[in-house]
Amino acid sequence: MIAALSAVLLFAAPPRPAALSRPALEELAIRIVEQAEGAKPEPPVGVWVEGTPPVLARAFASAVASQLAARRRGPSVLEVTSAAEAEAVARAHDLRTLLRLSIQLDGQRVTARGDAIHTWVNFWSGARASRDGSAVPLAAAVDADAVALALGATPAAPALGPSGPLKIAMTSLAKLSGVPAALSFGDADGDGKPELAVLQDDGVVVLELEGKPKLRTDLREVPNAASPPREPFGAIAVSPGRVHIASGKKAKPTWLSMKGEKLEAGGPLLADGVAVKLVPGLNVFEKQVAIGGRPIELPAPFTAASARGAVALVVYPDGSAMVLDGAAVPATRFSGAGAGSALADLDGDGTPEVLLSSARYAIDGDELKVLSLPQATALQGRSGSVVEAPVLWQGTTPRGRVLSALGADLDGDKSEELVLGVWLGDGTGELLVLRATR
């Protein structure tokens, strides 16, 4: 009888709290996001976090975005100075829900609080516009671990000059009928004005820089490949009056004359500064390339490449990547890079920055990071992972997976923008533009 009573008491007693098995910021993000789920957040979701020091706020924003992405909420981190500005930016970019959060290290505890709001505006409620729905309060705290303590103890950074962390705005340029496999920038029709050329799974579209289509072709005249790759894949390049095309779905490279709108057989293709050739039936390029006119043999076939002069970024199918600077091929790589990665001189200082999409596949909202060239080279030297790298900027696309990326000076201000080709869940695509705001 006593044994039976003891067993009942043991069963009824509350379990002892277990030590956190996850990093503190991740655990805090999970608790906040679980509370936000009670508000039934409509994706895509914006995330704005304030806190001191800023590095703690950025790390927590990234953790919250990661948890939202795992729940298919299409997160986008907003790096603006106030909650009011965050709400305005979220509404302008059609982010339907916004998490407004603050974080602080309080002794040995990390505390986050804020709210979740819908960004819809009801203009029929009277003379003044009002937001639909009430704010849902969010609050949680966890014991700080070594990483949180280190981030929280970091002194606030002084005002930085142009070499400091970037501020980047993300905007939508155009919706596409198909998946954007490759991008190029140049004077496609020979009129002296540049355009954007997009290789899609259903053909090619040439767009004015405002996003308006200028030409479409389904490449029906080009014979189909005997063994097309599993996913949309290829390369596209622009020379004055011509668009050069290599699609994995087609049997041979071609070029399109926009003046005469005719297709003819083409030769080797220069894709974002790298001469490439497709491997039939696979989502890779052959390892023999030319960068800056120099022939180079890479260690293996690759999925994406981007070059600025003698400097090149190459991404491989396993998610590893390397930076080449000169003729020698480095012996090491860094990990965690996706096919939507590219070089671009975002701040106009003559040295390109490195954009990296994530190496994840089945996602709806792709994580993006911008590293300086020295940061990427140092990461490569120690064969590190992108998750451990200091960054100039990080964010998340509102939806979809970044499949292609290109650096291009869209507005002629000597600083490049980043054009992202995003594969959406419904089989269509979208072009997003990242632009440094200072």
Side-chain angles (χ1 to χ4, degrees), residues 300-382:
F302 60 97
T303 54
S306 176
R308 293 294 179 274
V311 179
L313 172 70
V314 178
V315 180
Y316 295 91
D318 62 357
S320 65
M322 64 169 54
V323 175
L324 295 88
D325 191 356
V329 176
T332 55
R333 310 181 201 176
F334 61 89
S335 61
S341 300
L343 299 178
D345 185 4
L346 296 173
D347 54 11
D349 66 353
T351 300
E353 282 70 48
V354 182
L355 167 81
L356 301 170
S357 67
S358 76
R360 298 167 62 192
Y361 178 76
I363 55 174
D364 188 19
D366 207 344
E367 296 179 11
L368 304 171
K369 293 187 177 183
V370 175
L371 282 63
S372 70
L373 192 60
Q375 285 171 342
T377 303
L379 187 67
Q380 175 173 294
R382 62 177 185 270

Side-chain angles (χ1 to χ4, degrees), residues 52-374:
T52 301
V55 65
L56 176 64
R58 287 196 297 268
F60 182 57
S62 179
V64 171
S66 178
Q67 293 304 318
L68 288 168
R71 292 164 172 78
R72 303 182 67 82
R73 295 300 185 185
S76 182
V77 175
L78 306 180
E79 295 191 356
V80 294
T81 58
S82 68
E85 187 180 358
E87 185 174 352
V89 171
R91 190 174 296 121
H93 290 80
D94 198 27
L95 302 177
R96 308 308 298 273
T97 307
L98 174 63
L99 306 189
R100 305 181 298 186
L101 303 167
S102 65
I103 185 170
Q104 66 177 11
L105 181 63
D106 185 11
Q108 299 295 310
R109 300 274 285 174
V110 190
T111 301
R113 54 176 56 88
D115 58 21
I117 62 171
H118 294 293
T119 60
W120 308 324
V121 173
N122 176 13
F123 290 97
W124 300 99
S125 59
R128 297 182 60 186
S130 62
R131 186 191 307 118
D132 283 355
S134 58
V136 175
L138 307 172
V142 299
D143 291 334
D145 58 11
V147 173
L149 289 170
L151 291 172
T154 302
L160 295 170
S163 61
L166 291 170
K167 296 292 184 182
I168 291 181
M170 182 186 303
T171 58
S172 177
L173 179 66
K175 298 295 178 66
L176 304 172
S177 61
V179 178
L183 307 170
S184 189
F185 174 74
D187 183 7
D189 59 2
D191 66 352
K193 299 178 182 178
E195 290 85 24
L196 283 167
V198 186
L199 174 64
Q200 302 181 169
D201 58 337
D202 59 354
V204 170
V205 60
V206 176
L207 303 166
E208 296 178 354
L209 298 188
E210 297 77 24
K212 181 180 178 181
K214 204 167 190 177
L215 177 140
R216 295 181 188 272
T217 175
D218 57 11
L219 302 179
R220 189 173 303 173
E221 301 92 331
V222 186
N224 291 329
S227 301
R230 180 183 58 188
E231 297 178 1
F233 187 75
I236 190 166
V238 173
S239 62
R242 289 185 178 186
V243 180
H244 303 259
I245 306 151
S247 170
K249 289 193 170 186
K250 298 299 178 178
K252 58 184 180 181
T254 59
W255 59 265
L256 167 67
S257 169
M258 283 194 60
K259 288 184 177 180
E261 294 189 13
K262 63 178 181 179
L263 289 164
E264 296 188 13
L269 188 68
L270 191 69
D272 200 15
V274 182
V276 298
K277 187 176 180 181
L278 274 65
V279 176
L282 299 176
N283 289 64
V284 292
F285 298 106
E286 292 185 359
K287 60 183 180 179
Q288 292 81 16
V289 300
I291 300 173
R294 296 176 290 105
I296 294 175
E297 182 165 331
L298 298 170
F302 60 97
T303 54
S306 176
R308 293 294 179 274
V311 179
L313 172 70
V314 178
V315 180
Y316 295 91
D318 62 357
S320 65
M322 64 169 54
V323 175
L324 295 88
D325 191 356
V329 176
T332 55
R333 310 181 201 176
F334 61 89
S335 61
S341 300
L343 299 178
D345 185 4
L346 296 173
D347 54 11
D349 66 353
T351 300
E353 282 70 48
V354 182
L355 167 81
L356 301 170
S357 67
S358 76
R360 298 167 62 192
Y361 178 76
I363 55 174
D364 188 19
D366 207 344
E367 296 179 11
L368 304 171
K369 293 187 177 183
V370 175
L371 282 63
S372 70
L373 192 60

